[in-house]
Amino acid sequence: MASPQPTSPHWLLTRLGDDLNWWVAETNPGTTARQRSILDPRQVVHLIESLDRYESHGVTREQIASAFQVYAAESELADGRLRLTAVDEPIHHPGEQLFALPLLTDDGEGPYTEFLETLGVARIQLLNATHAYARDCTESEMYDELDTLHADRYFGDDTLHVFDEINEILTWSPAEWDDSAS
């Protein structure tokens, strides 16, 4: 049985949150509206640049592109919200001011989830290839620590922004190694 495909609205209204990240405020009719975060153009550029070092560990630009629906700003409303329209540009299109919405199905699965799994594997491979640990770190260790962080947020009613979710994987390191240059 094929899994449902992620729905991608044709337009979005976004708002700048108290955390200075962009959040979906409203979508075109017929699209499920739930608390969702969206990458802004600066975050998109940072993500693409950060992921270049993971290419040799299995993260491709195609995977990144398939994990997000790309949007361009169409207009700014009087209340400060932005109206975004879906575009067919790749997420890594140079010089464009693009927003990126993670592609998820209603049950939280989809291309974005697959991208996070690939990124997690690549992060562990990179760490084990570039550091001499007493024993190799594992995906299980990383996910156990990240799951604990997510559980704490759940009880605090905090919603994790997509940029922070990706950065948690990109900056994770075993507890015994604390190097901010990772």
Side-chain angles (χ1 to χ4, degrees):
M1 177 179 203
S3 61
Q5 294 297 310
T7 57
S8 177
H10 298 292
W11 60 263
L12 303 170
L13 291 181
T14 59
R15 64 173 175 74
L16 189 60
D18 293 337
D19 61 355
L20 301 180
N21 286 308
W22 288 94
W23 296 86
V24 175
E26 187 179 325
T27 62
N28 56 294
T31 305
T32 304
R34 62 179 188 263
Q35 178 76 353
R36 294 195 52 197
S37 57
I38 187 166
L39 296 171
D40 68 34
R42 290 174 299 128
Q43 292 169 333
V44 168
V45 169
H46 176 78
L47 174 65
I48 298 303
E49 290 172 355
S50 297
L51 292 176
D52 282 346
R53 70 189 285 209
Y54 292 91
E55 213 167 333
S56 63
H57 298 284
V59 177
T60 66
R61 287 187 179 239
E62 290 77 25
Q63 288 171 318
I64 300 165
S66 69
F68 297 91
Q69 172 60 55
V70 179
Y71 291 84
E74 180 181 297
S75 60
E76 183 174 355
L77 305 178
D79 62 3
R81 294 183 301 168
L82 292 179
R83 181 181 167 100
L84 307 178
T85 304
V87 295
D88 289 331
E89 300 292 332
I91 191 172
H92 47 79
H93 193 276
E96 293 291 325
Q97 293 288 309
L98 301 173
F99 288 77
L101 181 70
L103 290 173
L104 295 166
T105 59
D106 288 337
D107 63 358
E109 297 297 317
Y112 174 70
T113 304
E114 294 167 13
F115 163 71
L116 289 180
E117 290 169 3
T118 301
L119 183 58
V121 170
R123 176 66 180 167
I124 296 303
Q125 289 176 356
L126 176 76
L127 289 174
N128 288 331
T130 57
H131 296 83
Y133 298 116
R135 63 177 178 78
D136 284 348
C137 51
T138 66
E139 294 166 53
S140 175
E141 289 172 321
M142 179 180 71
Y143 286 121
D144 286 347
E145 285 184 36
L146 295 179
D147 287 346
T148 300
L149 285 173
H150 295 296
D152 290 344
R153 283 188 199 97
Y154 176 79
F155 291 111
D157 201 27
D158 292 336
T159 303
L160 185 63
H161 192 273
V162 62
F163 187 70
D164 297 329
E165 183 174 35
I166 294 168
N167 275 322
E168 282 183 356
I169 295 172
L170 293 176
T171 60
W172 182 85
S173 62
E176 68 207 33
W177 174 61
D178 187 17
D179 178 1
S180 60
S182 67

